[in-house]
């Protein structure tokens, strides 16, 4: 039950949005036991993101929420993959990635 929330301070095309979604779907498998089949993704372009006091460079903030407590090494691999994805798809090099783990995750009226 992973969730990836990607905020960008640039506008993107629908094609780029779909490509990001597809690449995030592949990348989530770097966390053992996680797959695109349960992944929810939010991609929000044109956010007012400021980094180092400015918003003149393409910037992204990615938040990943996962059910359970994956190995931190998986986070290292996923952060590196996010960096590659954003550079290749939308030419963003400035980004933060935040991870949160939860032992409670609801789905369609009940909890895991």
């Amino acid at each position: 039950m992973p969730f990836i929330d990607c905020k960008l301070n640039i506008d993107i095309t629908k094609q780029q949005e779909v490509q990001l979604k597809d690449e995030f779907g592949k990348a989530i498998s770097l966390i053992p036991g996680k797959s695109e089949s349960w992944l929810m993704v939010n991609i929000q372009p044109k956010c007012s993101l400021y980094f180092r006091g400015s918003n003149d460079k393409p910037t992204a903030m990615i938040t990943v929420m996962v059910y359970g407590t994956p190995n931190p090494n998986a986070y290292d691999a996923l952060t590196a993959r996010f960096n590659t994805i954003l550079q290749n798809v939308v030419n963003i090099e400035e980004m933060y990635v935040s991870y949160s783990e939860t032992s409670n995750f609801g789905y369609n009226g009940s909890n895991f």
Side-chain angles (χ1 to χ4, degrees):
M1 288 54 64
F3 173 64
I4 298 174
D5 187 19
C6 179
K7 294 178 177 17
L8 311 164
N9 72 343
I10 60 171
D11 199 11
I12 61 174
T13 66
K14 186 64 175 175
Q15 180 182 1
Q16 288 171 315
E17 179 181 309
V18 171
Q19 190 174 0
L20 286 173
K21 184 264 310 169
D22 290 345
E23 292 298 323
F24 292 163
K26 294 174 193 170
I28 200 65
S29 65
L30 291 170
I31 298 177
K34 305 304 177 193
S35 68
E36 185 177 23
S37 63
W38 286 98
L39 175 64
M40 183 178 283
V41 175
N42 178 51
I43 299 170
Q44 188 174 358
K46 297 178 74 172
C47 290
S48 294
L49 292 176
Y50 291 80
F51 185 63
R52 297 181 178 152
S54 176
N55 71 346
D56 62 346
K57 285 185 175 180
T59 303
M61 176 66 206
I62 297 177
T63 304
V64 181
M65 180 184 294
V66 295
Y67 177 69
T69 54
N71 183 319
N73 292 333
Y75 293 155
D76 291 338
L78 191 52
T79 297
R81 180 71 57 86
F82 284 143
N83 188 66
T84 299
I85 291 167
L86 289 178
Q87 283 181 357
N88 291 341
V89 177
V90 292
N91 200 31
I92 288 181
E93 296 181 13
E94 303 282 351
M95 74 187 71
Y96 279 144
V97 181
S98 171
Y99 296 92
S100 63
E101 300 166 349
T102 183
S103 59
N104 298 292
F105 218 108
Y107 170 70
N108 286 358
S110 63
N111 293 319
F112 292 96

